[in-house]
Amino acid sequence: MSMCGAVEQVVREAQRQLVDGGWDPAPADLVLVRETASALAAAVGPAHVQEGLARIDRLAGLREAMAALAVTVARTHGHLAWFLAQCSSELAPVLHWRALEAPDGRSFGAVLPTEEEFVDAEEAVRRLEVMLGRVGLGG
């Protein structure tokens, strides 16, 4: 399954929990949700912008998104932490990517992602950002 598909499943589960009352974010969590949504939007822009960037910049943006998720997970507990931790797990392959050639083979197992993998990961971040934006606005 693609990263975007996996994140989409987690987002759907979170939306179900929000609708059925199984997850009622506290005001402090809503502040974190808004901050995280903003950080994700700043890290990964619209598709037409991202696709024009150099591979190293695209990878940096995805890593920044992962860092934003990690910081939020460290600052909260309960449903929000569980939700973002699962999304982070689905995006974890990004942490094994590299943008630079490693001619001597010494890349610690890091691999060059394909264009499709970049697009998939970036779309997953965008999907998560949209969902968090809706939660942060109370909708």
Side-chain angles (χ1 to χ4, degrees), residues 2-59:
S2 70
M3 278 186 257
C4 190
V7 167
E8 180 65 31
Q9 284 188 341
V10 181
V11 163
R12 283 192 203 127
E13 175 60 25
Q15 289 170 327
R16 280 192 294 275
Q17 289 185 26
L18 288 162
V19 168
D20 73 14
W23 176 16
D24 184 20
D29 281 347
L30 292 176
V31 170
L32 289 173
V33 163
R34 286 189 293 273
E35 290 173 359
T36 305
S38 292
L40 295 178
V44 175
H48 71 279
V49 172
Q50 289 301 118
E51 291 168 10
L53 297 176
R55 295 171 62 85
I56 198 163
D57 295 325
R58 290 177 82 176
L59 183 54

Side-chain angles (χ1 to χ4, degrees), residues 3 59 62-63 66 90-98 121:
M3 278 186 257
L59 183 54
L62 288 166
R63 288 176 178 167
M66 294 291 294
E90 302 300 350
L91 290 164
V94 166
L95 300 176
H96 300 282
W97 291 355
R98 60 186 166 87

Side-chain angles (χ1 to χ4, degrees), residues 57-81:
D57 295 325
R58 290 177 82 176
L59 183 54
L62 288 166
R63 288 176 178 167
E64 287 176 26
M66 294 291 294
L69 294 174
V71 167
T72 303
V73 169
R75 295 172 60 196
T76 191
H77 302 282
H79 284 83
L80 180 58

